[in-house]
Amino acid sequence: MKHKDDIPRDPVWYPFTQMQEFAEQSPLVITGAQGCWLQDEKGKRHLDGVSSLWANVHGHRHPVIDRAIEEQMGRVAHSTMLGLSHPGGIELARQLVEHTPEGLNRVFYSDSGATAVEIGLKMAYQYWQLKGETQRYRFLKLSEAYHGDTIGAVSLGGMNLFHERFDRLLFDTVKVPTPHLYRHTFAIEDEKDVVERYFSLSQDLIESYAEQACGFFIEPLIQGAAGMIVHPHGYLKHIRDLTRKHNMLLIADEVAVGFGRTGKMFASSWEDVSPDLLCLGKGITGGYMPLAATLATEEVFSAFLGDFKDLKTFFHGHTYTGNPLACAAALASLTVFEEEKTLDTSVFGPKSQKYSDGMQRLAQLQHVGSVRYRGLMGGVELVAKNNTKEPYQFEKRMGYQVILEARKLGVMLRPLGDVIVLMPPLAISLEELDLLFEVTEKAIRKVTEG
Ligand SMILES: *Cc1c(COP(=O)(O)O)cnc(C)c1O
């Protein structure tokens, strides 16, 4: 055994973190939470402005979810889904099928957004192999997509900052330009023309790869990690129509936008879109436990059926696939959606209105270039010069400065570069929303206007 003196005070290597900075600035240690508030070891409370990384839905320590996990603990914490099953896993699958868009009938569990994406990727590929269309091996994706940090998911991603380093390890994909109304590079100004250009670019690429493509991966409505890029209305439907016409699968990654963030249970529903595969994660357990799911249509599922010797089986699984505690949390979260009418217009509407008003106020600030949101999910992009959209120098880390300032005022945020993400739990109260926007405005002003 090692001597205690040789062990670092905190040996944790933190995710997405320059560890050298930790020498001067150690992370806040969270020891408790209640509702939309986190509490640190010194007893200070912080409003959870990003839902503990886009996961929490009904608030922390919700009695219904807490109790469901405790009760499951009294039965069994974990047994495998490789060869065995459990009632919560079956019931949750039934409820997910009930809530998700038309056609999605089958549920494959895993434990994180990235694994849900890897599963979607492998399912889509194997599906076409089993259908005898073995020339299909390519995937289309949006140029600034984010689908997680494992190598398959990174191949489908397009965020240079995170992904470029691993270039040689990644498989080739077809990049469809992200429809970004604020930062497009066309020499045209009229928004309608810009939208049209994006529509036709995606159409050209889908047509060109119609014979070779397995599928098209998309984050419906909002590309989260890329900086809360909100797609123009009708874009998802457009991609659905084209992928259907040209016979490739549509794989919707609703890991971030799913479970009510945009005001409907699933973002695809806004445009009446049913994907062939649907990836879920983050909010699926109300933000309590690691769980993810990839849903498939009966058409995809049935291609995998056959005698064992035909080797059509989907050979994939994780140790904690469909963990019973996590399934109990997810079932309880769906119960809370129902009991608290979380997404009813009378409950969600006023919050969404206040959120929208708050965003529009922030949009007036001198160094806010763009605000982008749907429902209670969005971001505020800071710029050095508003008229030219000139970004701040990367090294200035303006987004990071703003969240440090907000933290002093009791609000916990996390930026994406110079985009300040505002994505509170759906359970946030109107008063807490006021505080969220008040503090965000103060912090942005202090950092950008001095
Ligand atoms: C967060 C995210 C993922 C990855 O989920 P993890 O649980 O972090 O692996 C995948 N897709 C989208 C759209 C995400 O926002």
Side-chain angles (χ1 to χ4, degrees):
M1 218 161 74
K2 286 168 197 146
H3 193 273
K4 273 221 169 71
D5 294 345
D6 297 334
I7 302 173
R9 189 187 56 79
D10 177 359
V12 177
W13 187 346
Y14 289 88
F16 277 95
T17 301
Q18 176 44 261
M19 292 303 294
Q20 191 170 298
E21 287 173 359
F22 269 45
E24 307 114 53
Q25 198 178 12
S26 46
L28 220 48
V29 176
I30 299 301
T31 52
Q34 183 67 57
C36 296
W37 295 84
L38 300 166
Q39 185 169 325
D40 68 28
E41 60 186 338
K42 297 194 178 106
K44 185 175 173 195
R45 290 176 3 119
H46 310 260
L47 183 64
D48 189 356
V50 290
S51 301
S52 293
L53 236 296
W54 315 0
N56 192 282
V57 179
H58 307 294
H60 298 276
R61 292 185 54 206
H62 193 291
V64 173
I65 305 177
D66 282 11
R67 198 179 328 118
I69 297 171
E70 280 162 20
E71 283 174 10
Q72 182 58 43
M73 202 105 77
R75 295 188 286 268
V76 52
H78 181 67
S79 61
T80 181
M81 269 204 166
L82 279 66
L84 300 175
S85 190
H86 62 91
I90 298 167
E91 179 54 25
L92 176 62
R94 288 178 58 87
Q95 292 196 20
L96 289 174
V97 167
E98 189 185 330
H99 280 97
T100 48
E102 205 52 46
L104 297 161
N105 258 355
R106 302 286 169 169
V107 180
F108 197 101
Y109 288 120
S110 58
D111 43 34
S112 73
T115 55
V117 166
E118 296 283 345
I119 288 160
L121 170 71
K122 287 174 72 180
M123 272 181 183
Y125 180 83
Q126 187 172 338
Y127 168 76
W128 288 113
Q129 298 289 308
L130 296 174
K131 295 283 276 188
E133 294 203 35
T134 50
Q135 83 287 357
R136 288 186 188 270
Y137 72 99
R138 305 197 67 130
F139 284 90
L140 284 76
K141 57 114 185 272
L142 293 176
S143 53
E144 289 166 79
Y146 178 80
H147 295 291
D149 294 329
T150 55
I151 286 296
V154 169
S155 294
L156 294 166
M159 300 190 51
N160 285 343
L161 179 67
F162 305 162
H163 299 157
E164 210 165 20
R165 174 90 58 201
F166 299 101
D167 219 28
R168 287 194 299 184
L169 302 184
L170 308 180
F171 61 80
D172 206 19
T173 54
V174 180
K175 289 192 189 72
V176 177
T178 287
H180 198 340
L181 299 183
Y182 182 66
R183 290 208 178 275
H184 64 83
T185 50
F186 310 127
I188 42 176
E189 275 310 315
D190 187 60
E191 191 170 295
K192 237 181 84 210
D193 296 338
V194 174
V195 170
E196 214 158 273
R197 189 71 69 86
Y198 279 124
F199 274 53
S200 76
L201 277 171
S202 55
Q203 177 164 358
D204 293 348
L205 283 163
I206 290 174
E207 285 170 359
S208 308
Y209 289 93
E211 305 294 314
Q212 293 173 35
C214 294
F216 192 125
F217 267 86
I218 189 167
E219 295 162 74
L221 268 60
I222 307 178
Q223 283 181 246
M228 297 292 162
I229 300 170
V230 176
H231 295 162
H233 284 284
Y235 187 77
L236 179 66
K237 180 102 178 84
H238 171 71
I239 299 296
R240 173 70 284 190
D241 291 346
L242 287 165
T243 48
R244 190 156 273 150
K245 181 169 172 210
H246 294 287
N247 215 18
M248 60 181 83
L249 300 179
L250 179 68
I251 304 117
D253 176 355
E254 292 221 19
V255 169
V257 294
F259 296 97
R261 298 289 169 193
T262 66
K264 283 189 191 285
M265 198 58 131
F266 299 103
S268 301
S269 309
W270 283 111
E271 303 200 349
D272 283 324
V273 161
S274 292
D276 300 290
L277 294 164
L278 173 67
C279 306
L280 303 176
K282 289 194 170 108
I284 188 172
T285 58
Y288 274 61
M289 319 264 311
L291 182 74
T294 309
L295 278 80
T297 59
E298 205 62 25
E299 163 62 25
V300 170
F301 173 77
S302 59
F304 289 72
L305 301 178
D307 285 337
F308 182 74
K309 64 173 169 27
D310 299 339
L311 295 180
K312 289 184 173 182
T313 309
F314 188 52
F315 290 110
H316 188 109
H318 300 277
T319 306
Y320 286 103
T321 286
N323 170 262
L325 290 173
C327 288
L331 276 168
S333 171
L334 290 173
T335 302
V336 177
F337 266 110
E338 205 166 297
E339 283 177 355
E340 297 185 358
K341 304 190 181 347
T342 311
L343 296 178
D344 269 28
T345 45
S346 60
V347 177
F348 195 85
K351 291 185 189 182
S352 159
Q353 185 61 49
K354 193 175 265 297
Y355 181 95
S356 175
D357 293 347
M359 281 296 206
Q360 292 307 325
R361 247 191 349 269
L362 293 178
Q364 307 305 316
L365 299 181
Q366 192 187 341
H367 290 281
V368 168
S370 156
V371 298
R372 305 183 283 266
Y373 57 93
R374 287 290 295 263
L376 294 184
M377 171 175 182
V380 177
E381 181 167 341
L382 307 175
V383 288
K385 292 211 180 73
N386 217 323
N387 51 351
T388 58
K389 305 183 182 179
E390 185 188 319
Y392 282 106
Q393 284 168 321
F394 169 78
E395 310 83 69
K396 284 195 165 166
R397 306 184 70 191
M398 296 299 275
Y400 183 61
Q401 306 300 333
V402 168
I403 69 115
L404 289 185
E405 207 53 46
R407 190 178 293 186
K408 288 184 202 157
L409 302 171
V411 171
M412 191 58 67
L413 298 174
R414 184 171 169 89
L416 294 160
D418 285 345
V419 175
I420 309 299
V421 175
L422 296 174
M423 191 164 163
L426 304 188
I428 193 167
S429 70
L430 293 171
E431 293 72 30
E432 288 162 344
L433 267 171
D434 280 335
L435 178 70
L436 177 67
F437 281 99
E438 226 171 83
V439 166
T440 304
E441 178 170 346
K442 270 190 200 148
I444 292 176
R445 277 183 189 278
K446 173 105 190 265
V447 171
T448 62
E449 298 170 24

